Amino acid sequence: MLNSAEMHRMIRMTFLHTCLLLYAGVYLFSTPLFAQTITVFDRATLQPLEGVAIASDSAGSCASTNAKGQADLSVLKGATSITLSHLGYRSLTLSMDAIADGKVLLEQQPYNLDELVVSASRFQERKRDVPEHIDVIERRTIALLDQQTTPDLLQNSGALFVQRSQMGGGSPVIRGFEASRVLLVVDGVRMNNAIYRAGHLQDLMTVDPNALDRIEVISGPGSVVYGSDALGGVIHLLTRTPRFSDSTGFLVNGGAMLRTSTANNERTANATVELRCRKLSSLTSITASDFGDLRMGSMREARYRDWGMRYWTVEQVDGNDTVVPNSDPLIQSPTAYKQVDVLQKLRLRTGERTMHQLNAQFSTTTDVPRYDRLTEYDVNNIFEIVPAQAEWYYGPQKRVLLAYTLELEREQGLYSKARITPSYQYIEQSRHNRGFGSSRLGHRTETVQVFGLSADFEKRFGKHELRCGAEYYANEVASEAHREDIHTGEVSYLSTRYPNGGSTMNTLAAYVSHTIEMNERWVLSEGLRFSAVELESTFDDDLDYQFLNGTYAQQNNALNWRVGAAFMPGKDWRFSALASTGFRAPNVDDMGKVFDSVQGTVVVPNTGLKPETTTNFEMGLSKTIDQRFTLEGNAFYTFYNNALTVSDFTVNGSDSIDYDGVLSKVTALTNKKEAYLYGTQAQVVFAFDAHFTLRSGLTYTVGRVRTDSTDQPLDHIAPVYGRTSLQWQAKRVTAECYVLYNGWKYLSDYNSGTQPAGEPAGAVVAAAYLRGHEIRRRHLSRKQLR
């Protein structure tokens, strides 16, 4: 039994232990930040966010989340609150008590001028500092739209207009410029090569949308940074890049996708595998697609119920071309094809400031039917259907890209960042056609090898950002052709599309650009680029081109500039102004192609061609209210000079020559046309709350060619078009309802005369189509075909 003294001592000891435990508990629970790891999630999808920057109110303390969205906050001792920020999300400041459960949710920001873009200068910079109009399609938008091809993705994003003559194609239009006058860039390497033509292109199809991380679309000239072809703008396609592990462990990520579509019985499968280590990472993406014949819409305006209906096709019956009824006139037959795309990237870190990357891309297709050519027929024959073509298809389109990139960073010295990229590209295209009733199938195949080397440097000092670089591209073009008798297999001569002796095109350029942040309100930028382009084509043909045999060469130089400013007076206002120039040097398609667009007229090479040029002026403004409502607008005016057009010419002093047995008038591409374009782009973004966001955009463009009498419409001008969408986000679910729309393009909006090189007279084509409208109604029914 305890005496009173021992009892008092025990009570004191118990009281002391209780006080110590209470003190420890109060200390631990009042400072949970120093003993926990938090995880940051997307509020809508509940997916963990990597790379979230976490700053404390105590100077010098910061952290970031790993691939699992986790961050160890033990380094933030002494902090009473933290601020979390991530590109594309609203910044969030929390007190210590608010993160006791270790989970933080960030809300997406529908419009963010602080996001980083790379297309304007080849290095990361804030979008708000760039005077150019840039549309960004992020990875999450790419996944949400889930489009079959990259042209479909661009069209449905609303960023631009896409022209399509058939499945397996897609030619983007920016501010009235298309094809070789819009520059395509993939991972910093230019895709445009020596045979990019003025007519519609299908090269964008060779980039797999499932392998893309983001797309940046620059509207307006981009020649200071990217050189030739960037008249209307630049489409920079950035593929996915493997990330490194933030620990000593080995991490494997992957995903797979299966998709089917009823419009063309599409079946697509994609598999992606990412391997992460601390110093080595890899990403592999493989996509295989099988596209069936495309089905047209059945809802039609009463005046055009049979417009475009496919009542007939051509088949071989007993060795003869025969017009047979199409079982379903809404099916565009034939349009089916298959495609395979592969992306492989490896990244190696050999130091804290040294990175190596290997980038390999491969794309190929089966034969792609040229549907628009297969629907042509003699509209003047009212007694029977006489198709113009029995077969017309593109052969497998192959694209190979191999690139190595060395990335360097330095705190001091001549540069802060450097990027050096040697690259190699191989492109193969072919065209195959046979006239209705003919047994001779023509085969024309072109291959292009492109060797490239680019070096870009950035130096930041004080308020200044200085960027410079140089690049060299060498194109080698080979062209071959032959005819094949489909019955006997006999092979005979056929003229090549490009000079059969081979062609080369070499480009050497250097640029410098400068940006200065005068203060928090003003950002000024300017740039200069000099380009030298050499072109050479050799004709060595004893049957068709005797009058041209020999080597044709030319050299062109161009000096481009840009001056821009961004003004942000506060209260989320932003104004921008830009003056810039662009150019496009003539390529092999311009100088080396000989063809008779109309019997009795032949187009021959002209070594005196000069670059096409543009001078552009634009202004933009945007206003954001409460980080939820944003209104953005942009207006431009462009002078288009030295446009290539077909004009009268002479060969050896003669204005007519014998071509393919016909005395033909000599013509050639010349720099004669002058044109102007103007237009506007507008966008509204309204986030009702954390779940609903409304977006709407509209683009309007006008283009005119100057003539002696009156200005004529410029082709490739898209009608007014836009996109409006309502997006809903909830836990792990994102849904969007959107509509694409455009206005009329009347016959009066087409040019009735000569267009720049490669352009048909739009009104003539449309009128011919209308002329056959009554004929189709008269005898293109399935009953009459039977």
Side-chain angles (χ1 to χ4, degrees), residues 262-332:
T262 58
N264 56 0
N265 290 323
E266 175 219 13
R267 291 171 292 174
T268 292
N270 169 266
T272 302
V273 177
E274 184 180 18
L275 309 178
R276 300 186 195 175
C277 296
R278 291 197 64 186
K279 295 186 177 182
L280 179 66
S281 61
S282 168
L283 186 141
T284 304
S285 174
I286 301 175
T287 301
S289 298
D290 184 349
F291 302 104
D293 290 333
L294 181 64
R295 171 177 288 275
M296 294 180 279
S298 60
M299 298 179 61
R300 294 167 174 270
E301 190 172 338
R303 292 175 293 175
Y304 308 104
R305 289 196 180 279
D306 67 336
W307 182 274
M309 298 286 276
R310 182 64 162 159
Y311 290 110
W312 53 271
T313 61
V314 176
E315 294 182 5
Q316 279 268 307
V317 179
D318 297 328
N320 298 313
D321 290 332
T322 305
V323 177
V324 299
N326 184 10
S327 59
D328 187 346
L330 293 177
I331 298 295
Q332 294 184 358

Side-chain angles (χ1 to χ4, degrees), residues 345-387:
K345 274 191 180 180
L346 292 172
R347 286 178 68 83
L348 174 65
R349 182 162 51 193
T350 57
E352 291 297 325
R353 301 180 181 275
T354 304
M355 194 80 66
H356 308 265
Q357 177 176 280
L358 290 177
N359 184 354
Q361 300 177 25
F362 172 74
S363 177
T364 187
T365 66
T366 59
D367 294 339
V368 180
R370 178 75 186 267
Y371 180 73
D372 62 326
R373 291 293 182 90
L374 293 172
T375 61
E376 294 176 352
Y377 58 93
D378 184 0
V379 297
N380 294 313
N381 192 328
I382 63 175
F383 301 104
E384 61 179 342
I385 302 169
V386 182

Side-chain angles (χ1 to χ4, degrees), residues 65-137:
T65 58
N66 59 21
K68 298 180 180 180
Q70 299 174 342
D72 181 6
L73 303 184
S74 60
V75 297
L76 306 182
K77 293 181 179 179
T80 58
S81 65
I82 59 172
T83 299
L84 299 92
S85 57
H86 190 55
L87 288 177
Y89 291 81
R90 292 190 175 91
S91 297
L92 181 64
T93 299
L94 299 171
S95 64
M96 301 308 156
D97 296 335
I99 58 173
D101 62 352
K103 293 183 180 180
V104 178
L105 303 178
L106 289 186
E107 182 179 341
Q108 294 183 13
Q109 186 169 348
Y111 186 86
N112 182 19
L113 283 173
D114 287 326
E115 71 175 321
L116 301 178
V117 294
V118 298
S119 56
S121 66
R122 293 183 180 267
F123 289 95
Q124 285 190 344
E125 55 185 328
R126 292 186 303 177
K127 185 178 178 180
R128 60 179 294 180
D129 296 340
V130 178
E132 283 86 355
H133 178 83
I134 300 180
D135 290 296
V136 179
I137 308 173

Side-chain angles (χ1 to χ4, degrees), residues 221 231 561 579-582 613-617 637-641 677:
L231 294 180
W561 54 266
S580 59
T581 63
T613 63
T614 58
T615 303
N616 177 71
F617 302 93
Y637 193 100
T638 301
F639 296 95
Y640 180 21
N641 299 312
L677 305 96

Side-chain angles (χ1 to χ4, degrees), residues 665-682:
K665 180 181 178 180
V666 176
T667 62
L669 292 178
T670 58
N671 298 100
K672 282 193 174 181
K673 289 292 183 181
E674 293 186 358
Y676 60 91
L677 305 96
Y678 61 88
T680 184
Q681 297 164 285

